[in-house]
Amino acid sequence: MNRLAWTPTYTARIVQIAVINGVNLNALGDRDPDIYCTITYGELETRVYEWASHLAVTARCFQTNHEGQLVDWCHEARSWADGVVINPGAWTHYSYAIRDALELFTVPIVEVHLSDITAREEFRRQSVIADLAAARIVGQGADGYRQALEFLTSR
Ligand code: DQA
């Protein structure tokens, strides 16, 4: 190949994914297994790290029960994350603070819910972050996180 004539093409590749979980998700395993899943939060994180590794990306998992902490992590993740997977828990339904924090991202966001929030109580059907998400995955249990990672890495 004539190296002078060769023009490299660069494809933006997702390499670091922030997986952010909100309020009460640390109690997985104790929460109703018929609605959520039987695995604990720790086991969920382990699976996320394994799935990410299979997809040759790095995932960094976060969970908090404090809204301001989640906002701070979103702000920090702007400097390193190439994609975001978020399950804000109940904050999904009313936190404009988290919505505003997510709005700052320029990288794709996937909204994940273990349960099918579209088929539960009325108050859960509303998501104040839905329109910010490049994809929404609901009702797939823990596998929803795998699907979210796949979505981000397939873009
Ligand atoms: C949830 C659904 C929310 O309505 C609920 O408050 C949660 C978990 C889910 O993953 O299904 O805490 O986000």
Side-chain angles (χ1 to χ4, degrees), residues 23 25 31 36 87 89-90 92-93 113-115 117 120 124:
V23 62
L25 287 162
R31 298 182 78 180
Y36 299 106
N87 180 353
T92 306
H93 313 302
H113 298 283
L114 297 153
S115 64
I117 57 171
R120 295 184 61 194
R124 291 187 205 274

Side-chain angles (χ1 to χ4, degrees), residues 76-147:
E76 286 163 25
R78 292 172 65 212
S79 65
W80 58 265
D82 304 305
V84 177
V85 175
I86 186 155
N87 180 353
W91 288 323
T92 306
H93 313 302
Y94 63 87
S95 174
Y96 296 114
I98 289 172
R99 183 200 157 83
D100 284 350
L102 291 174
E103 217 165 0
L104 290 166
F105 280 108
T106 54
V107 295
I109 297 168
V110 181
E111 177 184 352
V112 171
H113 298 283
L114 297 153
S115 64
D116 182 0
I117 57 171
T118 66
R120 295 184 61 194
E121 303 95 313
E122 190 66 39
F123 76 90
R124 291 187 205 274
R125 297 186 191 163
Q126 151 96 341
S127 164
V128 298
I129 67 165
D131 61 305
L132 302 178
R136 302 181 72 216
I137 299 167
V138 302
Q140 303 293 305
D143 196 61
Y145 288 80
R146 184 188 62 73
Q147 293 174 35

Side-chain angles (χ1 to χ4, degrees), residues 64-91:
T64 182
N65 293 327
H66 304 277
E67 191 179 18
Q69 176 67 80
L70 193 142
V71 168
D72 284 345
W73 281 338
C74 285
H75 292 175
E76 286 163 25
R78 292 172 65 212
S79 65
W80 58 265
D82 304 305
V84 177
V85 175
I86 186 155
N87 180 353
W91 288 323

